[in-house]
mmCIF file of all heavy atoms in Angstrom:
data_model
loop_
_atom_site.group_PDB
_atom_site.id
_atom_site.type_symbol
_atom_site.label_atom_id
_atom_site.label_comp_id
_atom_site.label_asym_id
_atom_site.label_seq_id
_atom_site.Cartn_x
_atom_site.Cartn_y
_atom_site.Cartn_z
ATOM 1 N N GLY A 100 -69.037 38.965 31.867
ATOM 2 C CA GLY A 100 -68.825 40.107 32.756
ATOM 3 C C GLY A 100 -70.122 40.781 33.146
ATOM 4 O O GLY A 100 -71.209 40.217 33.018
ATOM 5 N N TYR A 101 -69.989 42.015 33.602
ATOM 6 C CA TYR A 101 -71.121 42.843 34.009
ATOM 7 C C TYR A 101 -71.636 43.624 32.811
ATOM 8 O O TYR A 101 -70.833 44.127 32.032
ATOM 9 C CB TYR A 101 -70.671 43.825 35.112
ATOM 10 C CG TYR A 101 -71.716 44.850 35.451
ATOM 11 C CD1 TYR A 101 -72.686 44.574 36.413
ATOM 12 C CD2 TYR A 101 -71.753 46.086 34.807
ATOM 13 C CE1 TYR A 101 -73.664 45.507 36.717
ATOM 14 C CE2 TYR A 101 -72.724 47.018 35.104
ATOM 15 C CZ TYR A 101 -73.676 46.728 36.057
ATOM 16 O OH TYR A 101 -74.664 47.653 36.348
ATOM 17 N N PRO A 102 -72.938 43.797 32.684
ATOM 18 C CA PRO A 102 -74.054 43.281 33.483
ATOM 19 C C PRO A 102 -74.741 42.109 32.783
ATOM 20 O O PRO A 102 -75.951 41.959 32.840
ATOM 21 C CB PRO A 102 -74.981 44.486 33.538
ATOM 22 C CG PRO A 102 -74.844 45.093 32.154
ATOM 23 C CD PRO A 102 -73.412 44.828 31.718
ATOM 24 N N THR A 103 -73.962 41.297 32.129
ATOM 25 C CA THR A 103 -74.526 40.308 31.221
ATOM 26 C C THR A 103 -74.487 38.898 31.815
ATOM 27 O O THR A 103 -74.505 38.722 33.033
ATOM 28 C CB THR A 103 -73.809 40.402 29.852
ATOM 29 O OG1 THR A 103 -74.442 39.560 28.913
ATOM 30 C CG2 THR A 103 -72.336 40.063 29.959
ATOM 31 N N SER A 104 -74.440 37.893 30.964
ATOM 32 C CA SER A 104 -74.491 36.488 31.365
ATOM 33 C C SER A 104 -73.877 35.669 30.245
ATOM 34 O O SER A 104 -73.321 36.223 29.282
ATOM 35 C CB SER A 104 -75.944 36.062 31.606
ATOM 36 O OG SER A 104 -76.668 36.087 30.380
ATOM 37 N N SER A 105 -74.021 34.356 30.323
ATOM 38 C CA SER A 105 -73.512 33.499 29.248
ATOM 39 C C SER A 105 -74.199 33.787 27.917
ATOM 40 O O SER A 105 -73.704 33.370 26.861
ATOM 41 C CB SER A 105 -73.687 32.028 29.623
ATOM 42 O OG SER A 105 -75.060 31.714 29.830
ATOM 43 N N HIS A 106 -75.302 34.512 27.957
ATOM 44 C CA HIS A 106 -75.992 34.908 26.716
ATOM 45 C C HIS A 106 -75.064 35.686 25.792
ATOM 46 O O HIS A 106 -75.230 35.660 24.565
ATOM 47 C CB HIS A 106 -77.232 35.738 27.064
ATOM 48 C CG HIS A 106 -78.020 36.193 25.878
ATOM 49 N ND1 HIS A 106 -77.930 37.471 25.373
ATOM 50 C CD2 HIS A 106 -78.908 35.543 25.093
ATOM 51 C CE1 HIS A 106 -78.744 37.602 24.339
ATOM 52 N NE2 HIS A 106 -79.337 36.445 24.143
ATOM 53 N N MET A 107 -74.076 36.376 26.350
ATOM 54 C CA MET A 107 -73.179 37.175 25.508
ATOM 55 C C MET A 107 -72.363 36.294 24.557
ATOM 56 O O MET A 107 -71.816 36.788 23.573
ATOM 57 C CB MET A 107 -72.241 38.031 26.368
ATOM 58 C CG MET A 107 -71.197 37.256 27.147
ATOM 59 S SD MET A 107 -69.895 38.315 27.863
ATOM 60 C CE MET A 107 -68.884 38.660 26.417
ATOM 61 N N PHE A 108 -72.291 34.984 24.844
ATOM 62 C CA PHE A 108 -71.519 34.062 24.020
ATOM 63 C C PHE A 108 -72.378 33.302 23.011
ATOM 64 O O PHE A 108 -71.896 32.366 22.370
ATOM 65 C CB PHE A 108 -70.782 33.066 24.912
ATOM 66 C CG PHE A 108 -69.815 33.712 25.865
ATOM 67 C CD1 PHE A 108 -69.992 33.593 27.235
ATOM 68 C CD2 PHE A 108 -68.726 34.436 25.404
ATOM 69 C CE1 PHE A 108 -69.104 34.183 28.124
ATOM 70 C CE2 PHE A 108 -67.829 35.026 26.280
ATOM 71 C CZ PHE A 108 -68.020 34.900 27.646
ATOM 72 N N ARG A 109 -73.631 33.705 22.876
ATOM 73 C CA ARG A 109 -74.581 32.957 22.025
ATOM 74 C C ARG A 109 -74.098 32.844 20.588
ATOM 75 O O ARG A 109 -74.393 31.850 19.908
ATOM 76 C CB ARG A 109 -75.959 33.627 22.065
ATOM 77 C CG ARG A 109 -75.984 35.000 21.398
ATOM 78 C CD ARG A 109 -77.185 35.846 21.811
ATOM 79 N NE ARG A 109 -77.191 37.137 21.135
ATOM 80 C CZ ARG A 109 -76.459 38.174 21.517
ATOM 81 N NH1 ARG A 109 -75.634 38.078 22.555
ATOM 82 N NH2 ARG A 109 -76.529 39.324 20.854
ATOM 83 N N ASN A 110 -73.386 33.854 20.083
ATOM 84 C CA ASN A 110 -72.898 33.815 18.702
ATOM 85 C C ASN A 110 -71.495 33.233 18.588
ATOM 86 O O ASN A 110 -71.125 32.721 17.531
ATOM 87 C CB ASN A 110 -72.907 35.236 18.109
ATOM 88 C CG ASN A 110 -74.298 35.813 18.020
ATOM 89 O OD1 ASN A 110 -75.252 35.097 17.704
ATOM 90 N ND2 ASN A 110 -74.450 37.094 18.301
ATOM 91 N N LEU A 111 -70.729 33.291 19.670
ATOM 92 C CA LEU A 111 -69.367 32.766 19.642
ATOM 93 C C LEU A 111 -69.344 31.240 19.737
ATOM 94 O O LEU A 111 -68.559 30.573 19.042
ATOM 95 C CB LEU A 111 -68.551 33.363 20.797
ATOM 96 C CG LEU A 111 -67.097 32.914 20.907
ATOM 97 C CD1 LEU A 111 -66.286 33.370 19.685
ATOM 98 C CD2 LEU A 111 -66.468 33.434 22.197
ATOM 99 N N ILE A 112 -70.187 30.689 20.582
ATOM 100 C CA ILE A 112 -70.158 29.238 20.825
ATOM 101 C C ILE A 112 -70.269 28.425 19.534
ATOM 102 O O ILE A 112 -69.479 27.504 19.308
ATOM 103 C CB ILE A 112 -71.241 28.841 21.853
ATOM 104 C CG1 ILE A 112 -70.876 29.387 23.240
ATOM 105 C CG2 ILE A 112 -71.414 27.327 21.919
ATOM 106 C CD1 ILE A 112 -71.970 29.242 24.280
ATOM 107 N N PRO A 113 -71.227 28.734 18.650
ATOM 108 C CA PRO A 113 -71.333 27.929 17.425
ATOM 109 C C PRO A 113 -70.115 28.034 16.507
ATOM 110 O O PRO A 113 -69.885 27.141 15.695
ATOM 111 C CB PRO A 113 -72.580 28.497 16.730
ATOM 112 C CG PRO A 113 -73.363 29.138 17.817
ATOM 113 C CD PRO A 113 -72.335 29.700 18.752
ATOM 114 N N LEU A 114 -69.327 29.098 16.646
ATOM 115 C CA LEU A 114 -68.153 29.278 15.803
ATOM 116 C C LEU A 114 -66.932 28.509 16.318
ATOM 117 O O LEU A 114 -65.907 28.449 15.638
ATOM 118 C CB LEU A 114 -67.815 30.770 15.698
ATOM 119 C CG LEU A 114 -68.906 31.657 15.079
ATOM 120 C CD1 LEU A 114 -68.462 33.117 15.080
ATOM 121 C CD2 LEU A 114 -69.250 31.203 13.666
ATOM 122 N N LEU A 115 -67.058 27.930 17.505
ATOM 123 C CA LEU A 115 -65.933 27.214 18.110
ATOM 124 C C LEU A 115 -66.224 25.752 18.410
ATOM 125 O O LEU A 115 -65.303 24.944 18.570
ATOM 126 C CB LEU A 115 -65.525 27.910 19.423
ATOM 127 C CG LEU A 115 -65.071 29.366 19.322
ATOM 128 C CD1 LEU A 115 -64.914 29.959 20.724
ATOM 129 C CD2 LEU A 115 -63.769 29.485 18.542
ATOM 130 N N ALA A 116 -67.510 25.402 18.503
ATOM 131 C CA ALA A 116 -67.895 24.099 19.040
ATOM 132 C C ALA A 116 -67.593 22.930 18.120
ATOM 133 O O ALA A 116 -67.698 21.782 18.547
ATOM 134 C CB ALA A 116 -69.383 24.104 19.405
ATOM 135 N N ASP A 117 -67.213 23.181 16.873
ATOM 136 C CA ASP A 117 -66.846 22.063 16.010
ATOM 137 C C ASP A 117 -65.502 21.470 16.411
ATOM 138 O O ASP A 117 -65.267 20.265 16.275
ATOM 139 C CB ASP A 117 -66.812 22.509 14.539
ATOM 140 C CG ASP A 117 -65.776 23.589 14.286
ATOM 141 O OD1 ASP A 117 -65.587 24.455 15.173
ATOM 142 O OD2 ASP A 117 -65.150 23.571 13.208
ATOM 143 N N GLN A 118 -64.619 22.319 16.968
ATOM 144 C CA GLN A 118 -63.270 21.863 17.332
ATOM 145 C C GLN A 118 -63.030 21.817 18.837
ATOM 146 O O GLN A 118 -62.056 21.220 19.280
ATOM 147 C CB GLN A 118 -62.214 22.785 16.709
ATOM 148 C CG GLN A 118 -62.005 22.557 15.220
ATOM 149 C CD GLN A 118 -60.782 23.296 14.720
ATOM 150 O OE1 GLN A 118 -60.622 24.488 14.956
ATOM 151 N NE2 GLN A 118 -59.908 22.586 14.024
ATOM 152 N N TYR A 119 -63.940 22.431 19.602
ATOM 153 C CA TYR A 119 -63.709 22.547 21.035
ATOM 154 C C TYR A 119 -64.961 22.213 21.834
ATOM 155 O O TYR A 119 -66.086 22.328 21.344
ATOM 156 C CB TYR A 119 -63.229 23.965 21.386
ATOM 157 C CG TYR A 119 -61.965 24.323 20.664
ATOM 158 C CD1 TYR A 119 -61.993 25.107 19.502
ATOM 159 C CD2 TYR A 119 -60.731 23.849 21.103
ATOM 160 C CE1 TYR A 119 -60.827 25.410 18.814
ATOM 161 C CE2 TYR A 119 -59.559 24.148 20.417
ATOM 162 C CZ TYR A 119 -59.617 24.926 19.279
ATOM 163 O OH TYR A 119 -58.465 25.211 18.593
ATOM 164 N N HIS A 120 -64.733 21.798 23.060
ATOM 165 C CA HIS A 120 -65.794 21.589 24.037
ATOM 166 C C HIS A 120 -65.962 22.918 24.769
ATOM 167 O O HIS A 120 -65.041 23.374 25.457
ATOM 168 C CB HIS A 120 -65.372 20.476 25.008
ATOM 169 C CG HIS A 120 -66.328 20.227 26.111
ATOM 170 N ND1 HIS A 120 -65.914 19.949 27.401
ATOM 171 C CD2 HIS A 120 -67.683 20.189 26.135
ATOM 172 C CE1 HIS A 120 -66.968 19.758 28.172
ATOM 173 N NE2 HIS A 120 -68.043 19.893 27.424
ATOM 174 N N VAL A 121 -67.100 23.565 24.601
ATOM 175 C CA VAL A 121 -67.290 24.935 25.070
ATOM 176 C C VAL A 121 -68.274 24.959 26.238
ATOM 177 O O VAL A 121 -69.396 24.446 26.132
ATOM 178 C CB VAL A 121 -67.784 25.852 23.931
ATOM 179 C CG1 VAL A 121 -67.791 27.304 24.390
ATOM 180 C CG2 VAL A 121 -66.901 25.700 22.690
ATOM 181 N N ILE A 122 -67.853 25.587 27.338
ATOM 182 C CA ILE A 122 -68.662 25.711 28.545
ATOM 183 C C ILE A 122 -68.769 27.190 28.905
ATOM 184 O O ILE A 122 -67.751 27.883 29.004
ATOM 185 C CB ILE A 122 -68.016 24.964 29.734
ATOM 186 C CG1 ILE A 122 -67.840 23.480 29.419
ATOM 187 C CG2 ILE A 122 -68.823 25.183 31.014
ATOM 188 C CD1 ILE A 122 -69.110 22.689 29.448
ATOM 189 N N ALA A 123 -69.999 27.672 29.137
ATOM 190 C CA ALA A 123 -70.201 29.074 29.498
ATOM 191 C C ALA A 123 -71.211 29.174 30.637
ATOM 192 O O ALA A 123 -72.419 29.061 30.411
ATOM 193 C CB ALA A 123 -70.682 29.877 28.288
ATOM 194 N N PRO A 124 -70.740 29.354 31.877
ATOM 195 C CA PRO A 124 -71.650 29.464 33.014
ATOM 196 C C PRO A 124 -72.107 30.905 33.259
ATOM 197 O O PRO A 124 -71.478 31.861 32.792
ATOM 198 C CB PRO A 124 -70.789 28.983 34.181
ATOM 199 C CG PRO A 124 -69.406 29.431 33.804
ATOM 200 C CD PRO A 124 -69.329 29.312 32.290
ATOM 201 N N ASP A 125 -73.210 31.032 34.001
ATOM 202 C CA ASP A 125 -73.634 32.325 34.529
ATOM 203 C C ASP A 125 -73.050 32.474 35.927
ATOM 204 O O ASP A 125 -73.248 31.609 36.790
ATOM 205 C CB ASP A 125 -75.160 32.415 34.622
ATOM 206 C CG ASP A 125 -75.839 32.550 33.265
ATOM 207 O OD1 ASP A 125 -75.131 32.737 32.263
ATOM 208 O OD2 ASP A 125 -77.080 32.474 33.226
ATOM 209 N N LEU A 126 -72.339 33.560 36.180
ATOM 210 C CA LEU A 126 -71.784 33.803 37.503
ATOM 211 C C LEU A 126 -72.898 34.018 38.526
ATOM 212 O O LEU A 126 -73.998 34.467 38.169
ATOM 213 C CB LEU A 126 -70.883 35.036 37.475
ATOM 214 C CG LEU A 126 -69.644 34.984 36.578
ATOM 215 C CD1 LEU A 126 -68.937 36.334 36.581
ATOM 216 C CD2 LEU A 126 -68.687 33.891 37.031
ATOM 217 N N PRO A 127 -72.652 33.730 39.803
ATOM 218 C CA PRO A 127 -73.638 34.062 40.838
ATOM 219 C C PRO A 127 -73.992 35.552 40.784
ATOM 220 O O PRO A 127 -73.108 36.412 40.665
ATOM 221 C CB PRO A 127 -72.906 33.715 42.143
ATOM 222 C CG PRO A 127 -71.933 32.650 41.750
ATOM 223 C CD PRO A 127 -71.475 33.038 40.362
ATOM 224 N N GLY A 128 -75.294 35.831 40.845
ATOM 225 C CA GLY A 128 -75.751 37.205 40.746
ATOM 226 C C GLY A 128 -76.092 37.634 39.339
ATOM 227 O O GLY A 128 -76.527 38.772 39.126
ATOM 228 N N PHE A 129 -75.938 36.730 38.371
ATOM 229 C CA PHE A 129 -76.161 37.062 36.976
ATOM 230 C C PHE A 129 -76.949 35.957 36.278
ATOM 231 O O PHE A 129 -76.909 34.793 36.675
ATOM 232 C CB PHE A 129 -74.829 37.275 36.249
ATOM 233 C CG PHE A 129 -74.016 38.416 36.778
ATOM 234 C CD1 PHE A 129 -73.142 38.225 37.840
ATOM 235 C CD2 PHE A 129 -74.143 39.686 36.249
ATOM 236 C CE1 PHE A 129 -72.390 39.273 38.350
ATOM 237 C CE2 PHE A 129 -73.403 40.745 36.747
ATOM 238 C CZ PHE A 129 -72.523 40.541 37.798
ATOM 239 N N GLY A 130 -77.611 36.331 35.201
ATOM 240 C CA GLY A 130 -78.255 35.362 34.337
ATOM 241 C C GLY A 130 -79.258 34.491 35.059
ATOM 242 O O GLY A 130 -80.078 34.962 35.851
ATOM 243 N N TYR A 131 -79.158 33.180 34.802
ATOM 244 C CA TYR A 131 -80.128 32.223 35.329
ATOM 245 C C TYR A 131 -79.574 31.388 36.487
ATOM 246 O O TYR A 131 -80.225 30.437 36.918
ATOM 247 C CB TYR A 131 -80.602 31.308 34.198
ATOM 248 C CG TYR A 131 -81.325 32.067 33.112
ATOM 249 C CD1 TYR A 131 -80.686 32.352 31.901
ATOM 250 C CD2 TYR A 131 -82.620 32.529 33.289
ATOM 251 C CE1 TYR A 131 -81.337 33.063 30.905
ATOM 252 C CE2 TYR A 131 -83.277 33.239 32.304
ATOM 253 C CZ TYR A 131 -82.631 33.511 31.110
ATOM 254 O OH TYR A 131 -83.273 34.222 30.130
ATOM 255 N N THR A 132 -78.392 31.726 36.970
ATOM 256 C CA THR A 132 -77.862 31.033 38.142
ATOM 257 C C THR A 132 -78.668 31.438 39.371
ATOM 258 O O THR A 132 -78.940 32.627 39.582
ATOM 259 C CB THR A 132 -76.362 31.349 38.331
ATOM 260 O OG1 THR A 132 -75.631 30.657 37.316
ATOM 261 C CG2 THR A 132 -75.851 30.920 39.688
ATOM 262 N N GLU A 133 -79.052 30.442 40.174
ATOM 263 C CA GLU A 133 -79.859 30.679 41.364
ATOM 264 C C GLU A 133 -78.984 30.532 42.604
ATOM 265 O O GLU A 133 -78.301 29.519 42.770
ATOM 266 C CB GLU A 133 -81.018 29.678 41.414
ATOM 267 C CG GLU A 133 -81.953 29.775 40.209
ATOM 268 C CD GLU A 133 -83.014 28.687 40.200
ATOM 269 O OE1 GLU A 133 -83.279 28.105 41.281
ATOM 270 O OE2 GLU A 133 -83.557 28.414 39.114
ATOM 271 N N VAL A 134 -79.030 31.556 43.447
ATOM 272 C CA VAL A 134 -78.118 31.633 44.582
ATOM 273 C C VAL A 134 -78.885 31.489 45.891
ATOM 274 O O VAL A 134 -79.954 32.061 46.056
ATOM 275 C CB VAL A 134 -77.347 32.971 44.559
ATOM 276 C CG1 VAL A 134 -76.394 33.074 45.740
ATOM 277 C CG2 VAL A 134 -76.580 33.107 43.245
ATOM 278 N N ARG A 135 -78.323 30.721 46.798
ATOM 279 C CA ARG A 135 -78.949 30.544 48.114
ATOM 280 C C ARG A 135 -78.935 31.864 48.885
ATOM 281 O O ARG A 135 -78.086 32.730 48.641
ATOM 282 C CB ARG A 135 -78.184 29.487 48.910
ATOM 283 C CG ARG A 135 -76.765 29.904 49.254
ATOM 284 C CD ARG A 135 -76.005 28.828 49.995
ATOM 285 N NE ARG A 135 -74.678 29.278 50.390
ATOM 286 C CZ ARG A 135 -73.613 29.257 49.619
ATOM 287 N NH1 ARG A 135 -73.718 28.798 48.376
ATOM 288 N NH2 ARG A 135 -72.442 29.691 50.057
ATOM 289 N N SER A 136 -79.857 32.003 49.833
ATOM 290 C CA SER A 136 -79.869 33.202 50.666
ATOM 291 C C SER A 136 -78.621 33.221 51.541
ATOM 292 O O SER A 136 -78.094 32.178 51.939
ATOM 293 C CB SER A 136 -81.122 33.215 51.550
ATOM 294 O OG SER A 136 -81.128 32.108 52.421
ATOM 295 N N GLY A 137 -78.121 34.405 51.798
ATOM 296 C CA GLY A 137 -76.937 34.544 52.625
ATOM 297 C C GLY A 137 -75.626 34.510 51.867
ATOM 298 O O GLY A 137 -74.566 34.670 52.475
ATOM 299 N N TYR A 138 -75.684 34.295 50.573
ATOM 300 C CA TYR A 138 -74.455 34.282 49.768
ATOM 301 C C TYR A 138 -73.836 35.679 49.788
ATOM 302 O O TYR A 138 -74.514 36.679 49.563
ATOM 303 C CB TYR A 138 -74.780 33.877 48.337
ATOM 304 C CG TYR A 138 -73.576 33.648 47.438
ATOM 305 C CD1 TYR A 138 -73.009 32.394 47.323
ATOM 306 C CD2 TYR A 138 -73.036 34.691 46.691
ATOM 307 C CE1 TYR A 138 -71.925 32.166 46.487
ATOM 308 C CE2 TYR A 138 -71.949 34.477 45.852
ATOM 309 C CZ TYR A 138 -71.392 33.216 45.758
ATOM 310 O OH TYR A 138 -70.315 32.996 44.930
ATOM 311 N N LYS A 139 -72.548 35.756 50.059
ATOM 312 C CA LYS A 139 -71.859 37.040 50.093
ATOM 313 C C LYS A 139 -71.210 37.307 48.741
ATOM 314 O O LYS A 139 -70.381 36.518 48.271
ATOM 315 C CB LYS A 139 -70.797 37.063 51.189
ATOM 316 C CG LYS A 139 -70.148 38.435 51.374
ATOM 317 C CD LYS A 139 -69.188 38.452 52.541
ATOM 318 C CE LYS A 139 -68.573 39.840 52.711
ATOM 319 N NZ LYS A 139 -67.600 39.861 53.842
ATOM 320 N N TYR A 140 -71.595 38.419 48.131
ATOM 321 C CA TYR A 140 -71.141 38.719 46.783
ATOM 322 C C TYR A 140 -69.796 39.454 46.815
ATOM 323 O O TYR A 140 -69.721 40.674 46.952
ATOM 324 C CB TYR A 140 -72.196 39.527 46.032
ATOM 325 C CG TYR A 140 -73.379 38.673 45.663
ATOM 326 C CD1 TYR A 140 -74.470 38.552 46.532
ATOM 327 C CD2 TYR A 140 -73.397 37.941 44.483
ATOM 328 C CE1 TYR A 140 -75.548 37.742 46.209
ATOM 329 C CE2 TYR A 140 -74.469 37.123 44.154
ATOM 330 C CZ TYR A 140 -75.539 37.035 45.023
ATOM 331 O OH TYR A 140 -76.599 36.220 44.715
ATOM 332 N N THR A 141 -68.748 38.659 46.700
ATOM 333 C CA THR A 141 -67.395 39.163 46.532
ATOM 334 C C THR A 141 -66.776 38.395 45.375
ATOM 335 O O THR A 141 -67.239 37.309 45.014
ATOM 336 C CB THR A 141 -66.530 38.941 47.792
ATOM 337 O OG1 THR A 141 -66.329 37.523 47.970
ATOM 338 C CG2 THR A 141 -67.186 39.534 49.035
ATOM 339 N N PHE A 142 -65.714 38.936 44.818
ATOM 340 C CA PHE A 142 -65.062 38.248 43.708
ATOM 341 C C PHE A 142 -64.339 36.984 44.189
ATOM 342 O O PHE A 142 -64.241 36.011 43.438
ATOM 343 C CB PHE A 142 -64.133 39.198 42.962
ATOM 344 C CG PHE A 142 -64.889 40.161 42.092
ATOM 345 C CD1 PHE A 142 -65.311 41.386 42.599
ATOM 346 C CD2 PHE A 142 -65.233 39.827 40.802
ATOM 347 C CE1 PHE A 142 -66.050 42.268 41.813
ATOM 348 C CE2 PHE A 142 -65.975 40.692 40.003
ATOM 349 C CZ PHE A 142 -66.384 41.915 40.514
ATOM 350 N N ASP A 143 -63.880 36.994 45.423
ATOM 351 C CA ASP A 143 -63.311 35.764 45.973
ATOM 352 C C ASP A 143 -64.363 34.655 45.990
ATOM 353 O O ASP A 143 -64.074 33.504 45.622
ATOM 354 C CB ASP A 143 -62.815 35.996 47.407
ATOM 355 C CG ASP A 143 -61.438 36.635 47.461
ATOM 356 O OD1 ASP A 143 -60.735 36.669 46.428
ATOM 357 O OD2 ASP A 143 -61.056 37.107 48.546
ATOM 358 N N ASN A 144 -65.590 35.001 46.406
ATOM 359 C CA ASN A 144 -66.643 33.989 46.479
ATOM 360 C C ASN A 144 -67.119 33.562 45.098
ATOM 361 O O ASN A 144 -67.420 32.382 44.874
ATOM 362 C CB ASN A 144 -67.813 34.500 47.315
ATOM 363 C CG ASN A 144 -67.520 34.461 48.802
ATOM 364 O OD1 ASN A 144 -66.574 33.805 49.241
ATOM 365 N ND2 ASN A 144 -68.309 35.160 49.590
ATOM 366 N N LEU A 145 -67.193 34.503 44.157
ATOM 367 C CA LEU A 145 -67.552 34.134 42.785
ATOM 368 C C LEU A 145 -66.539 33.137 42.225
ATOM 369 O O LEU A 145 -66.905 32.137 41.593
ATOM 370 C CB LEU A 145 -67.616 35.377 41.895
ATOM 371 C CG LEU A 145 -68.997 36.017 41.684
ATOM 372 C CD1 LEU A 145 -69.651 36.415 42.997
ATOM 373 C CD2 LEU A 145 -68.882 37.229 40.750
ATOM 374 N N ALA A 146 -65.256 33.401 42.485
ATOM 375 C CA ALA A 146 -64.205 32.504 41.998
ATOM 376 C C ALA A 146 -64.286 31.150 42.696
ATOM 377 O O ALA A 146 -64.071 30.105 42.062
ATOM 378 C CB ALA A 146 -62.831 33.136 42.212
#
């Protein structure tokens, strides 16, 4: 969520990864995801 990134899951992932395949992306506008110019920041577009 806001204003964080997949970093917020740094402690959770190791507690689940023995039994599950865990994926944690950074949403556009957050973290280390790189967004092209002209991207319109709406929740529809994030989804």
Side-chain angles (χ1 to χ4, degrees):
Y101 172 88
T103 187
S104 66
S105 60
H106 180 259
M107 69 168 283
F108 300 118
R109 68 198 181 280
N110 297 322
L111 180 64
I112 291 171
L114 299 178
L115 300 171
D117 62 324
Q118 284 191 309
Y119 301 99
H120 176 219
V121 188
I122 301 286
D125 288 351
L126 298 175
F129 298 87
Y131 297 103
T132 287
E133 300 174 20
V134 180
R135 65 182 184 276
S136 62
Y138 188 91
K139 186 175 181 181
Y140 287 90
T141 67
F142 285 90
D143 278 346
N144 284 345
L145 264 57

